[in-house]
Amino acid sequence: MTTLTVQGLTVDYGPVRALDGVGFEVPGGITAVLGANGAGKTTLLRTLSGLVPARAGTARLDATDLLRTPAEEMTRVGLAHVPEGRGVIAELTVEENLHLGALGARAARRGTASRFDLTRVYELFPVLGERSGQLAHTLSGGERQMLVVGRALLAEPSILLLDEPSLGLAPRVVAQIFALIRELVDRDGLTVLLAEQNARSALSIADRALVLGLGRVVADESAAALAGDDRLRHAYLGA
Amino acid sequence: MQQLLTTTLSGLTLGFVYAAFALALVMIWRSTRIVNFAQAPMAMITAYVALVLIDAGYSYWIGFAAALLAGFLLGSLVEWLVIRRVDASNPINPVILTLGLFIVFHSLAALIFGSRFRSFPAPFGLRGFEVGDTTVALTGFGIFTILAVLVAVGGLVLLFRFTDVGLRMRASAFNPEVSRLLGVRVGRMLNLGWALAALVGSLSGLLIAGGGLVHPSYMDPVVVYGFVAAVLGGLDSPAGAVLGGLLLGLSLSFVSGYLGSELVAMAALVVLMAVLLVRPGGIFGGIAERRV
Ligand SMILES: Nc1ncnc2c1ncn2[C@@H]1O[C@H](COP(=O)(O)OP(=O)(O)O)[C@@H](O)[C@H]1O
Ligand SMILES: [Mg+2]
C-alpha cells in the first residue's frame, strides 16, 4: 500500500499564494480533494506531479521525494496524473494514446506482474477497443475520460491523481466511471487522489475527504463524516 | 515535346530538393513553433564538412555521410545551446535568434572555409541519358537526388508512424505537458527533432551542391523556395511540405523554361503571397487547423 505524505506545502503564482501550508496524509484508498473553484485543487495536484514548483513544504510518495522529481519521471516512481481537461492527445489515435501510457511504466512494473495491460484496459472500457484506430479527437467526453484513465493505468501507477474527471459529463457517465474507479481501488490496491467540485459524486466513492478553502486545508475527515456535516458542506461545497 | 519533358524532369528533381528543405522547416515548426531561418547556413556548413573531407582525399560517400552526421549533431547542438534557452512567449524572440544564427554561421563559414567559390563533386554523371538521338534531362545525379529524398522521407515516415521514439516525438510536439505527465522526456524529443530536421536540411544542401559550386551563401535562395514550399503545404504538414516542394519545383521550372530564368525568384514570391492571401492554411485544404 502506498502512502502519500504532504507537509506545509506552499505555492505562489507571482504575488498570488495558491497553496498555504497544506498538509495531509493519504494512506491508500480514495481521498477526495474538495473545494470551490479557485480553492487550489488543481495547483495541489500539479505541484505533486512536478508541473508547478513549490515555494516550501515536503511531499513524499513512500520513499520518493516528489518535489525533487521532475514531471517526466513521475510515472516511473509510480505516480500518474490525469490533468484537468483530461489531456487526451487529440491528434493521436486511441491506441497510440494508450501505448504512450504503457511506454511510461517503469521497467520493473512492465511485463509479467503487470496489473494493467492493453487487454485489461479494453476489458474495462470496451468502447476504447471498438475505437482503437480512431483519432482521439473523435471521442465523446465520456470516452475521452475513459481513454485518459485507461492510459494512466497502463503506466502501472501506485497512486492516481484525477483532476475533475466529472467536468462536463452526464451524471450517468460520471456514475459509471466513478464506480469503476472504486472497483480498481478495491481490486487492484490502487490509491487515488480525486479533485472534484462535484462533492456529492466524489463523496459517494471516497474513503476520506480533504476540503480546501483559499489554499488551506479546512477539513480532513472521513467521507461519511463530511457527507453528514451540514455546516462544512454549506460553507465550502455549496451543497 | 522535348522541352516539356526536360522542363518537367528538371522541375521534379529540384522539387525533391525543395521538398526535403521544406520538410526540415516543417519538422521544427511543428515541434517548437519556430521558423528556423538558420537552416540554410547550417546545411551550408555541413556541405563544407563534406568538401573538406573530399578534398583531403576521402571518397564522396565518406564526405556525404560525415555531412549528414554533422547536420544531425549541429541541429542537436543548436537546440541545446540556443533554442531551449530562448523565451518563446514572445514569438519575435526565436525569429531574431534564428536570424542571428543565420549571420553567425555565414561569418563562421567565411572565416573557416573562405568565401571564394569552390566546386563540389557529384557521385554520378551530370549529363542526361540519351534515348535514341534525343537527350533526356534526367541525369544520374538527378535520379540519385530523387531517390535520396525518397529514402529520407520514407525513413521519417517509418520512424514517426511505426516506432516508439516516433510516437514520443509526435506526442511531444502535439502536447508537451501531457507528454511529460506520461513519462516522455520532452526536452530530449525536441532535441532529436531538431537533429533530424537539420540532417534532412543537410541532405538538401548536399543535393544542391552536387556538381555545382559552394560558397557561404550558396544555400540562401533555397531558404526562400523551401519556405514557400512549406507554406504551400500549410507549414504544419510534413506531407504538405513534400507536395509543396514538388509543386514549387515544377512551377519554377516551367517559369524558367518558358518565361525566362530571371523571373524564377519573383515567381516564387508571387506564389508565396498568393497562398498567404488566398489560402493561409496551405493549398492542400482539409488539413486541420492546429488547436490552441
Ligand atoms: N497559472 C496561474 N497563474 C496565476 N494564478 C493561478 C494560476 N493557476 C491558478 N492560479 C490561481 O491559484 C488559485 C488556485 O487555483 P486552482 O489551483 O486552479 O484552483 P481549483 O483547481 O481548486 O479551481 C486561484 O486563485 C487561481 O486564480
Ligand atoms: Mg481546478
Side-chain angles (χ1 to χ4, degrees), chain A residues 11-19 33-46 52 84 163-164 195-197 212 214-215:
Chain A
V11 174
D12 293 339
Y13 295 109
V16 179
R17 176 144 295 186
L19 290 184
V33 180
L34 307 176
N37 198 7
K41 305 181 294 295
T42 296
T43 302
L44 172 62
L45 266 52
R46 289 173 65 84
V52 170
E84 198 170 49
D163 198 347
E164 305 249 14
E196 266 296 347
Q197 270 190 72
L212 292 183
L214 297 177

